[in-house]
Amino acid sequence: MARTAFLLSSLLALAAAQTPGKTKEVHPKLQTWKCTNRGGCVRQNTAIVLDAASHWIHQANDTTKGCGNWGEAADKVACPDEATCAKNCIIEGISDYSENGITTQGGSLTLNMYGKNGVSSPRVYLLAEDEKNYELLKLVGKEFTFDVDASKLPCGMNGALYFSEMEKAGGRSKLNPGGAAYGTGYCDAQCYVTPWVNGVGNIAGKGICCNEMDIWEANKAATQMAPHTCSKPGLYQCTGDECKFDGVCDKNGCGNNPYVLGEKGYYGPGKQYKVDTTRPFTVVTQFNANSKKELESINRLYVQDGRVIQNAMVNVTGPMTDEYCSKNGAVKFLSDGAMKGMGGSLDRGMVLAMSVWWDEGGFMNWLDSGNAGPCNATEGDPKVIQQVEPRPAVVFSQIKWGEIGSTFRMKGRPHH
């Protein structure tokens, strides 16, 4: 689903980078695990980086000015061409991520809506152990697992964990020497215009598109999973009608929300729900392949108190397949590549993104209100959210991926 409101509220007055400045970038470490059924899970000393747009980016000769605003091309004066833009625009590192509402401890990441200077709404990406490149996940025929604490996400909030087909180096180049280490190169299926493309000035004002796999968009009242396909592989720069709803990418995705499927007692805050969101739980997503090693279906499991909870879709619709998407009206998903196309992106490798945000324009109604969830139409207003939960936050932890069946534990089954 579109993160329009999140971007509008947090990416204003930002520059089209990118020459690294004097402030050192210090990445918070975040342990993750790669798993096999035979060898168990092996720890990785990975790290996270905040999106480049949330770094301080300023003009070289005037630190009070940036180089462009979200939704627009690069500033025409500072950025008459790509090379001049890179020379004129400085991206500063972040030495203390806690000021942006981000903390890590071992294998746990906390994203707070507020930072030192007010609303931060951070979005971070997983870096490989070298901290120069993104960790590239290839998940067809495998599973991805994490623990989440959504207890401080009331109606209207969204703690998101998803994959984007960004480039491993974040577009590192002569004009963008920082690359992934500074959080550059973002793209998704919404095809937004930003002042940069892969860290280089977006002189022509093109939209930036790529395949997107929304593993988890949720608060404590509702959750949705949705793959979004694009008809073009990798990062693609769209123009005109290509960027619109009927363009090169599926903006709505093939959604799966237990509440929409009629399982209103499945997910929510309290012991009366099968998945109790007042306490942490484990989310397992399996990307099942066919005999040709192409993505055929996506399956979701939950684990809480050592007990595996089958997803509502298993009981209501069966696994998420092309047939499921067809029955649920995901026409664009199918025409832009369907499961095979989403699998192609997962085969090439995708980057893990995690964020926390609210929706100033639509109050997150698409996720948790009306047919989608139990929240009323105005509960998602940020003014209401702040009264209900003064410090919204999400905790993601125990991030693991590997062979199917290797990443999670349950009662009666040993876990390495």
Side-chain angles (χ1 to χ4, degrees):
M1 188 66 187
R3 278 169 287 276
T4 306
F6 157 62
L7 287 161
L8 284 171
S9 66
S10 63
L11 302 186
L12 298 177
L14 302 171
Q18 320 273 352
T19 296
K22 295 180 180 179
T23 307
K24 184 179 180 181
E25 178 80 13
V26 181
H27 302 126
K29 303 295 189 293
L30 179 68
Q31 294 173 2
T32 57
W33 289 263
K34 286 185 178 180
C35 307
T36 62
N37 286 309
R38 172 177 257 184
C41 295
V42 178
R43 188 179 70 190
Q44 297 187 112
N45 296 312
T46 44
I48 58 164
V49 61
L50 191 63
D51 182 85
S54 294
H55 287 65
W56 179 33
I57 307 175
H58 59 82
Q59 292 188 22
N61 296 323
D62 188 345
T63 58
T64 66
K65 294 181 179 179
C67 294
N69 298 321
W70 182 87
E72 302 174 356
D75 181 85
K76 293 181 179 179
V77 176
C79 299
D81 58 71
E82 293 179 352
T84 304
C85 190
K87 181 180 179 181
N88 286 345
C89 299
I90 309 299
I91 181 168
E92 298 289 350
I94 298 173
S95 58
D96 185 358
Y97 267 59
S98 66
E99 294 185 355
N100 289 273
I102 301 164
T103 58
T104 62
Q105 183 175 5
S108 179
L109 165 69
T110 300
L111 298 176
N112 294 283
M113 189 65 188
Y114 291 96
K116 179 182 178 181
N117 299 313
V119 174
S120 178
S121 191
R123 184 176 70 221
V124 301
Y125 313 122
L126 184 65
L127 288 170
E129 290 183 311
D130 64 10
E131 296 188 36
K132 295 179 180 179
N133 298 293
Y134 295 125
E135 182 74 29
L136 216 56
L137 282 76
K138 300 180 179 182
L139 294 173
V140 174
K142 298 180 181 179
E143 68 185 18
F144 180 89
T145 295
F146 63 95
D147 289 359
V148 62
D149 184 345
S151 62
K152 290 188 176 181
L153 294 178
C155 294
M157 289 300 304
N158 191 333
L161 183 151
Y162 61 104
F163 298 122
S164 164
E165 197 179 339
M166 298 160 64
E167 295 178 7
K168 182 178 181 178
R172 186 182 300 109
S173 66
K174 183 178 179 180
L175 299 182
N176 174 26
Y182 282 77
T184 65
Y186 183 72
C187 57
D188 63 27
Q190 306 307 321
C191 299
Y192 298 121
V193 175
T194 67
W196 59 91
V197 181
N198 260 345
V200 175
N202 188 1
I203 310 304
K206 294 183 178 181
I208 302 100
C209 311
C210 67
N211 286 281
E212 173 187 353
M213 176 65 225
D214 290 341
I215 296 282
W216 186 253
E217 293 196 272
N219 52 43
K220 63 182 179 181
T223 181
Q224 174 171 278
M225 173 172 63
H228 299 254
T229 47
C230 295
S231 58
K232 305 286 186 178
L235 188 152
Y236 178 77
Q237 299 179 46
C238 67
T239 57
D241 289 344
E242 289 183 319
C243 305
K244 296 180 180 179
F245 186 82
D246 291 325
V248 297
C249 291
D250 167 30
K251 300 184 188 303
N252 279 354
C254 176
N256 186 279
N257 175 331
Y259 196 94
V260 172
L261 299 176
E263 291 277 352
K264 295 178 171 57
Y266 185 81
Y267 178 98
K271 294 181 179 179
Q272 68 270 34
Y273 294 94
K274 293 180 181 177
V275 179
D276 177 7
T277 60
T278 64
R279 301 179 293 118
F281 52 92
T282 300
V283 182
V284 183
T285 309
Q286 298 171 328
F287 298 92
N288 303 300
N290 59 22
S291 59
K292 297 179 181 179
K293 297 184 178 180
E294 298 168 340
L295 181 64
E296 184 175 56
S297 66
I298 302 173
N299 190 40
R300 165 61 51 78
L301 306 171
Y302 296 95
V303 183
Q304 194 169 43
D305 301 326
R307 183 172 58 93
V308 173
I309 307 165
Q310 292 292 329
N311 192 19
M313 68 183 181
V314 173
N315 300 320
V316 177
T317 67
M320 182 181 274
T321 60
D322 286 343
E323 183 181 6
Y324 164 89
C325 295
S326 178
K327 287 180 178 178
N328 286 274
V331 177
K332 194 74 169 68
F333 169 79
L334 296 169
S335 66
D336 283 346
M339 284 293 167
K340 181 179 178 180
M342 191 76 253
S345 183
L346 287 163
D347 266 335
R348 291 186 293 271
M350 302 185 83
V351 175
L352 175 62
M354 293 168 282
S355 66
V356 62
W357 58 289
W358 57 36
D359 181 356
E360 292 180 347
F363 300 166
M364 213 72 72
N365 286 171
W366 63 267
L367 174 66
D368 60 22
S369 182
N371 184 51
C375 306
N376 68 41
T378 59
E379 279 183 277
D381 184 337
K383 297 183 183 66
V384 176
I385 291 173
Q386 292 171 78
Q387 295 174 359
V388 174
E389 176 52 70
R391 308 297 295 181
V394 64
V395 181
F396 295 116
S397 62
Q398 298 296 303
I399 296 171
K400 302 173 183 178
W401 63 94
E403 295 176 341
I404 289 177
S406 69
T407 67
F408 63 99
R409 62 165 60 91
M410 57 186 179
K411 287 182 178 178
R413 187 181 105 183
H415 187 272
H416 299 281

